[in-house]
Amino acid sequence: MNETEAFLAEGERWLDDASFQLEIAQVAAPVREELIERARSLIAETGESPTKLFGWPREWAEEQIAERRSQGLPAAVPDPSASWRDVPVLGMYLASAFAVVFLLVALVEEGWGLDYDLRLLGFPVAGGVMVMTALTVWEKTLSRRPFGAAAAAGAGILICGSLLVGLLVTWISEHPGPQAGAWHLGLLVLACALAGKVLDTLLPEKKPPAWRTPRDDEEWLGVLAGVLRLRADMPEQRVRTIVAEAQGHAVEAGSTLQEEFGRPEDYAAQFPTDQTNRTRRAAWGYSAMAALWTFLALPPDGSWRQGILALLWACLAAWEWRQVRRAAAPPAAG
């Protein structure tokens, strides 16, 4: 590789790293592309190493975001809520993953001689769609309501779906149908993945809202609260405090919240993610899964495989609770 090729390769690596830093900072795709293209042009014009010209990618990304905020320009992704388009598209991809798991378990337990009702192939599909529906309901509810309401809505979808699946399993066991083998599960893996790809191509993307859509104060505060819950993983009390402080500041200034702070998404971006709250939620989730698999592993119907899964979930829960405890511990005296 000659000197020119090495310079170009270094530049592309730096730009890729910078784009990644902007993406994890939740900078919207149009803004991200604009900033990266501007940096690429400057690198080409000056012939300087991007590290010498801009510094490390993370530092450069933080500077660009801060500069846009100081100028009142939008940066963050406009809409924090999930899209219903995700349900069929990601649901099919998730169904393919479920089918892979079912196939591996079937091969371990029964081998290629597995024999089951053909209609049971619908359960990975139902599971994938059900999980994505629950996640979408969770995110859409959390963008407008407190954590408890979102958790109840998502759990309600999962519980209702699980009951329906249980009823269908009972009905199929009482009314046998055509038989299928392990190779049918292999075909299902490919079919679901292909269906996800096709749906991703055919279904239209949701048109993003305008960057500068005027909002009245009530809508502005609602969007701010939703972004803080979804992106920053903040507890409800902290969300209410930030919302009240913003509202009070605007009242004192005698202006609207949009005029005073700009877009609520960008205003929310200045608050860091509450890692402790995020870890605590993960710990509760892992603990619930450990309890569920422990119950399933109990005799007389339990198995050692379910016991291993319960142990794995328990290990994950223990790790997360340890992180929560460390975060809550007072700093050591210097």
XYZ file of all heavy atoms in Angstrom, residues 181-241:
478
model
N -41.358 -32.873 10.121
C -40.080 -33.314 10.669
C -39.139 -32.153 10.918
O -39.503 -30.976 10.758
N -37.914 -32.479 11.293
C -36.928 -31.446 11.618
C -36.629 -30.566 10.413
O -36.396 -29.357 10.561
C -35.651 -32.095 12.135
N -36.640 -31.156 9.213
C -36.303 -30.359 8.033
C -37.329 -29.265 7.770
O -37.016 -28.229 7.173
C -36.144 -31.258 6.809
C -37.411 -31.926 6.343
C -37.924 -33.096 6.786
C -38.293 -31.446 5.329
N -39.091 -33.396 6.131
C -39.341 -32.397 5.213
C -38.311 -30.327 4.511
C -40.393 -32.253 4.324
C -39.355 -30.177 3.615
C -40.385 -31.118 3.518
N -38.579 -29.468 8.242
C -39.578 -28.408 8.103
C -39.178 -27.167 8.919
O -39.424 -26.035 8.502
C -40.948 -28.908 8.562
C -41.587 -29.875 7.627
N -41.422 -31.238 7.738
C -42.394 -29.679 6.546
C -42.110 -31.847 6.799
N -42.701 -30.922 6.044
N -38.589 -27.401 10.093
C -38.118 -26.274 10.899
C -37.002 -25.523 10.192
O -36.928 -24.288 10.254
C -37.635 -26.773 12.265
C -38.683 -26.915 13.363
C -38.097 -27.613 14.573
C -39.250 -25.556 13.744
N -36.116 -26.272 9.508
C -35.058 -25.614 8.729
C -35.633 -24.737 7.639
O -35.160 -23.610 7.416
N -36.682 -25.228 6.966
C -37.340 -24.416 5.940
C -38.002 -23.186 6.556
O -38.011 -22.104 5.952
C -38.383 -25.253 5.196
C -37.858 -26.320 4.245
C -39.021 -27.082 3.623
C -36.998 -25.698 3.142
N -38.561 -23.359 7.762
C -39.207 -22.223 8.427
C -38.201 -21.120 8.751
O -38.524 -19.934 8.641
C -39.895 -22.706 9.704
C -40.679 -21.637 10.469
C -41.849 -21.133 9.641
C -41.178 -22.193 11.806
N -36.998 -21.496 9.155
C -35.952 -20.502 9.438
C -35.719 -19.631 8.198
O -35.709 -18.393 8.275
C -34.642 -21.194 9.862
C -33.514 -20.177 9.955
C -34.816 -21.906 11.191
N -35.541 -20.271 7.047
C -35.284 -19.538 5.799
C -36.509 -18.738 5.370
O -36.382 -17.590 4.930
C -34.880 -20.522 4.699
C -33.605 -21.321 4.948
C -33.373 -22.323 3.820
C -32.402 -20.397 5.090
N -37.695 -19.330 5.511
C -38.911 -18.659 5.068
C -39.176 -17.388 5.878
O -39.547 -16.342 5.315
C -40.100 -19.614 5.176
N -38.991 -17.463 7.182
C -39.233 -16.287 8.028
C -38.219 -15.185 7.739
O -38.566 -14.000 7.693
C -39.186 -16.676 9.501
S -40.583 -17.672 10.051
N -36.949 -15.575 7.552
C -35.926 -14.573 7.234
C -36.231 -13.907 5.900
O -36.102 -12.675 5.755
C -34.550 -15.233 7.199
N -36.651 -14.690 4.914
C -36.997 -14.132 3.608
C -38.226 -13.235 3.715
O -38.277 -12.153 3.102
C -37.257 -15.263 2.615
C -37.656 -14.840 1.194
C -36.543 -14.013 0.565
C -37.956 -16.066 0.330
N -39.222 -13.653 4.503
C -40.424 -12.837 4.677
C -40.080 -11.489 5.315
O -40.619 -10.450 4.926
C -41.437 -13.588 5.537
N -39.187 -11.513 6.303
C -38.765 -10.256 6.923
C -38.101 -9.330 5.927
O -38.352 -8.122 5.919
N -37.251 -9.894 5.068
C -36.565 -9.091 4.059
C -37.552 -8.491 3.061
O -37.463 -7.314 2.701
C -35.540 -9.966 3.328
C -34.740 -9.244 2.261
C -33.853 -8.182 2.861
C -32.956 -7.535 1.798
N -32.135 -6.439 2.374
N -38.511 -9.305 2.621
C -39.514 -8.831 1.657
C -40.374 -7.729 2.271
O -40.627 -6.694 1.650
C -40.390 -10.010 1.188
C -41.574 -9.500 0.362
C -39.571 -10.984 0.352
N -40.836 -7.950 3.501
C -41.663 -6.941 4.169
C -40.881 -5.647 4.402
O -41.434 -4.552 4.285
C -42.172 -7.493 5.501
C -43.235 -8.590 5.407
C -43.493 -9.193 6.781
C -44.517 -8.042 4.814
N -39.601 -5.778 4.722
C -38.761 -4.601 4.924
C -38.647 -3.780 3.644
O -38.542 -2.552 3.675
C -37.374 -5.033 5.400
C -36.560 -3.876 5.940
O -37.148 -2.837 6.287
O -35.328 -4.004 6.020
N -38.682 -4.473 2.503
C -38.589 -3.792 1.211
C -39.926 -3.175 0.803
O -39.967 -2.054 0.267
C -38.127 -4.776 0.120
O -36.875 -5.352 0.499
C -37.976 -4.079 -1.223
N -41.016 -3.890 1.059
C -42.321 -3.465 0.553
C -43.017 -2.434 1.439
O -43.667 -1.518 0.918
C -43.233 -4.688 0.398
C -42.806 -5.733 -0.639
C -43.803 -6.878 -0.664
C -42.676 -5.104 -2.022
N -42.901 -2.584 2.748
C -43.627 -1.681 3.639
C -42.968 -0.307 3.657
O -41.753 -0.194 3.842
C -43.675 -2.257 5.055
C -44.495 -3.538 5.213
C -44.458 -4.012 6.660
C -45.924 -3.327 4.772
N -43.734 0.755 3.496
C -43.146 2.105 3.453
C -42.623 2.536 4.815
O -43.217 2.215 5.854
C -44.322 2.989 3.004
C -45.541 2.234 3.449
C -45.197 0.777 3.328
N -41.515 3.239 4.803
C -40.969 3.804 6.035
C -41.839 4.968 6.491
O -42.408 5.698 5.672
C -39.541 4.302 5.806
C -38.525 3.197 5.572
C -37.994 2.625 6.866
O -38.498 3.041 7.941
O -37.113 1.755 6.801
N -41.943 5.118 7.793
C -42.688 6.250 8.339
C -41.947 7.548 8.026
O -40.746 7.660 8.264
C -42.849 6.096 9.849
C -43.591 7.248 10.516
C -43.662 7.037 12.019
C -44.332 8.220 12.697
N -44.382 8.055 14.176
N -42.664 8.510 7.488
C -42.046 9.802 7.169
C -41.704 10.534 8.457
O -42.575 10.733 9.319
C -42.994 10.654 6.327
C -42.366 11.946 5.830
C -43.338 12.711 4.958
C -42.706 14.010 4.468
N -43.645 14.789 3.614
N -40.439 10.908 8.648
C -40.064 11.587 9.900
C -40.716 12.952 10.002
O -40.931 13.620 8.996
C -38.533 11.712 9.790
C -38.254 11.649 8.326
C -39.294 10.756 7.734
N -41.062 13.366 11.209
C -41.662 14.696 11.383
C -40.677 15.800 11.043
O -39.468 15.602 11.046
C -42.024 14.728 12.872
C -41.121 13.722 13.512
C -40.888 12.657 12.476
N -41.214 16.951 10.704
C -40.361 18.090 10.341
C -39.486 18.478 11.521
O -39.875 18.360 12.682
C -41.227 19.270 9.917
N -38.263 18.957 11.200
C -37.319 19.319 12.255
C -37.864 20.421 13.158
O -37.673 20.414 14.352
C -36.018 19.805 11.631
C -35.161 18.725 11.073
C -34.824 18.534 9.765
C -34.513 17.676 11.781
N -34.019 17.438 9.626
C -33.809 16.897 10.845
C -34.467 17.313 13.123
C -33.060 15.794 11.198
C -33.720 16.208 13.481
C -33.040 15.465 12.525
N -38.532 21.370 12.559
C -38.946 22.541 13.328
C -40.458 22.605 13.501
O -41.046 23.671 13.453
C -38.450 23.806 12.617
C -36.945 23.986 12.714
C -36.576 24.581 14.040
N -35.140 24.769 14.183
C -34.573 25.152 15.304
N -35.294 25.373 16.363
N -33.274 25.299 15.383
N -41.118 21.495 13.682
C -42.559 21.495 13.864
C -42.924 22.303 15.113
O -42.472 21.983 16.196
C -43.087 20.060 14.030
O -42.716 19.311 12.874
C -44.596 20.059 14.167
N -43.732 23.371 14.956
C -44.119 24.144 16.149
C -44.963 23.291 17.089
O -45.845 22.563 16.661
C -44.939 25.304 15.566
C -44.586 25.341 14.110
C -44.273 23.941 13.731
N -44.703 23.367 18.369
C -45.457 22.632 19.376
C -45.945 23.600 20.448
O -45.213 24.501 20.852
C -44.589 21.563 20.034
C -44.138 20.426 19.120
C -43.338 19.428 19.947
N -43.005 18.217 19.214
C -41.816 17.973 18.657
N -40.853 18.882 18.752
N -41.590 16.847 18.024
N -47.185 23.379 20.912
C -47.621 24.157 22.074
C -46.940 23.585 23.311
O -46.309 22.521 23.266
C -49.147 24.146 22.200
C -49.720 22.729 22.349
O -49.056 21.873 22.968
O -50.820 22.485 21.837
N -47.055 24.290 24.427
C -46.301 23.901 25.623
C -46.677 22.510 26.142
O -45.812 21.743 26.578
C -46.519 24.949 26.727
C -45.684 26.197 26.489
O -44.962 26.244 25.464
O -45.760 27.127 27.310
N -47.965 22.177 26.078
C -48.399 20.873 26.584
C -47.792 19.728 25.769
O -47.287 18.754 26.326
C -49.926 20.781 26.550
C -50.464 19.482 27.122
C -51.981 19.430 27.134
O -52.615 20.450 26.753
O -52.532 18.378 27.501
N -47.818 19.872 24.440
C -47.225 18.834 23.590
C -45.717 18.783 23.793
O -45.116 17.712 23.828
C -47.553 19.107 22.124
C -47.023 18.046 21.174
C -47.266 18.392 19.717
O -47.832 19.471 19.443
O -46.866 17.583 18.861
N -45.074 19.934 23.930
C -43.622 20.013 24.113
C -43.221 19.252 25.369
O -42.269 18.461 25.358
C -43.213 21.480 24.211
C -41.752 21.752 24.058
C -41.111 22.166 22.929
C -40.743 21.653 25.083
N -39.762 22.327 23.178
C -39.507 22.014 24.488
C -40.762 21.288 26.421
C -38.309 22.030 25.197
C -39.569 21.294 27.131
C -38.370 21.656 26.520
N -43.935 19.473 26.463
C -43.616 18.808 27.721
C -43.841 17.298 27.609
O -43.083 16.502 28.172
C -44.464 19.382 28.852
C -44.134 20.819 29.263
C -45.171 21.338 30.235
C -42.738 20.906 29.873
N -44.877 16.894 26.885
C -45.135 15.465 26.695
C -44.030 14.782 25.927
O -43.606 13.670 26.280
N -43.546 15.442 24.869
C -42.445 14.873 24.085
C -41.180 14.804 24.932
O -40.450 13.805 24.909
C -42.208 15.699 22.809
C -40.964 15.213 22.074
C -43.416 15.606 21.888
N -40.907 15.860 25.693
C -39.716 15.869 26.555
C -39.757 14.703 27.542
O -38.767 13.979 27.701
C -39.640 17.190 27.318
C -38.538 17.286 28.388
C -37.161 17.193 27.745
C -38.672 18.570 29.192
N -40.890 14.514 28.204
C -41.004 13.421 29.173
C -40.806 12.068 28.503
O -40.113 11.190 29.028
C -42.372 13.481 29.857
N -41.376 11.889 27.310
C -41.226 10.619 26.603
C -39.794 10.331 26.219
O -39.311 9.191 26.355
N -39.089 11.348 25.753
C -37.693 11.159 25.357
C -36.829 10.815 26.570
O -35.962 9.941 26.508
C -37.146 12.422 24.654
C -35.659 12.277 24.371
C -37.890 12.659 23.343
N -37.076 11.471 27.692
C -36.294 11.194 28.908
C -36.530 9.776 29.403
O -35.604 9.108 29.873
C -36.663 12.199 29.999
C -36.224 13.650 29.751
C -36.792 14.560 30.841
C -34.713 13.777 29.692
N -37.765 9.293 29.298
C -38.049 7.921 29.734
C -37.407 6.907 28.803
O -36.826 5.911 29.248
C -39.560 7.693 29.779
C -40.319 8.502 30.810
C -41.755 8.019 30.896
N -42.595 8.960 31.633
C -43.499 9.760 31.073
N -43.686 9.714 29.758
N -44.208 10.582 31.804
N -37.536 7.142 27.496
C -37.095 6.151 26.515
C -35.588 6.148 26.321
O -34.946 5.107 26.341
C -37.776 6.412 25.174
C -39.190 5.853 24.998
C -39.806 6.392 23.725
C -39.168 4.346 24.970
N -35.019 7.324 26.096
C -33.601 7.387 25.737
C -32.694 7.456 26.950
O -31.598 6.896 26.941
C -33.348 8.604 24.847
C -34.034 8.511 23.498
C -33.542 9.619 22.590
N -34.336 9.630 21.375
C -34.650 10.722 20.711
N -34.234 11.888 21.143
N -35.366 10.667 19.607
N -33.139 8.177 27.971
C -32.272 8.384 29.125
C -32.549 7.391 30.248
O -31.821 7.370 31.237
C -32.417 9.812 29.657
N -33.602 6.573 30.105
C -33.940 5.575 31.122
C -34.069 6.195 32.503
O -33.619 5.631 33.508
C -32.898 4.450 31.157
C -33.192 3.373 30.131
O -34.366 2.998 30.005
O -32.260 2.933 29.463
N -34.694 7.357 32.568
C -34.804 8.049 33.852
C -36.024 7.570 34.632
O -37.064 7.276 34.039
C -34.916 9.559 33.632
C -33.630 10.208 33.190
S -33.789 11.988 33.168
C -32.126 12.438 32.652
N -35.918 7.514 35.967
C -37.101 7.204 36.783
C -38.105 8.341 36.693
O -37.758 9.491 36.383
C -36.528 7.059 38.194
C -35.238 7.815 38.180
C -34.711 7.699 36.779
N -39.362 8.032 36.976
C -40.444 8.997 36.766
C -40.256 10.264 37.590
O -40.552 11.369 37.116
C -41.779 8.341 37.096
C -42.988 9.139 36.654
C -43.059 9.336 35.142
O -42.498 8.494 34.410
O -43.657 10.339 34.715
N -39.753 10.152 38.813
C -39.588 11.330 39.648
C -38.591 12.308 39.031
O -38.808 13.524 39.034
C -39.116 10.927 41.054
C -39.071 12.082 42.045
C -40.411 12.772 42.199
O -41.445 12.125 42.340
N -40.396 14.101 42.166
N -37.504 11.786 38.477
C -36.510 12.638 37.829
C -37.091 13.288 36.578
O -36.840 14.464 36.294
C -35.278 11.793 37.467
C -34.194 12.528 36.704
C -33.599 13.657 37.485
N -32.471 14.248 36.794
C -32.126 15.527 36.876
N -32.821 16.350 37.656
N -31.083 15.984 36.221
N -37.897 12.525 35.829
C -38.545 13.078 34.638
C -39.442 14.248 35.016
O -39.404 15.318 34.394
C -39.365 11.982 33.913
C -40.233 12.594 32.813
C -38.446 10.930 33.322
N -40.242 14.064 36.059
C -41.158 15.129 36.479
C -40.406 16.366 36.937
O -40.839 17.505 36.705
C -42.064 14.607 37.598
C -43.068 13.566 37.135
C -43.882 13.018 38.292
N -44.832 12.015 37.856
C -45.585 11.287 38.669
N -45.468 11.454 39.983
N -46.425 10.390 38.182
N -39.274 16.158 37.607
C -38.475 17.298 38.071
C -37.951 18.116 36.894
O -38.042 19.356 36.883
C -37.296 16.802 38.929
O -37.803 16.110 40.064
C -36.441 17.974 39.385
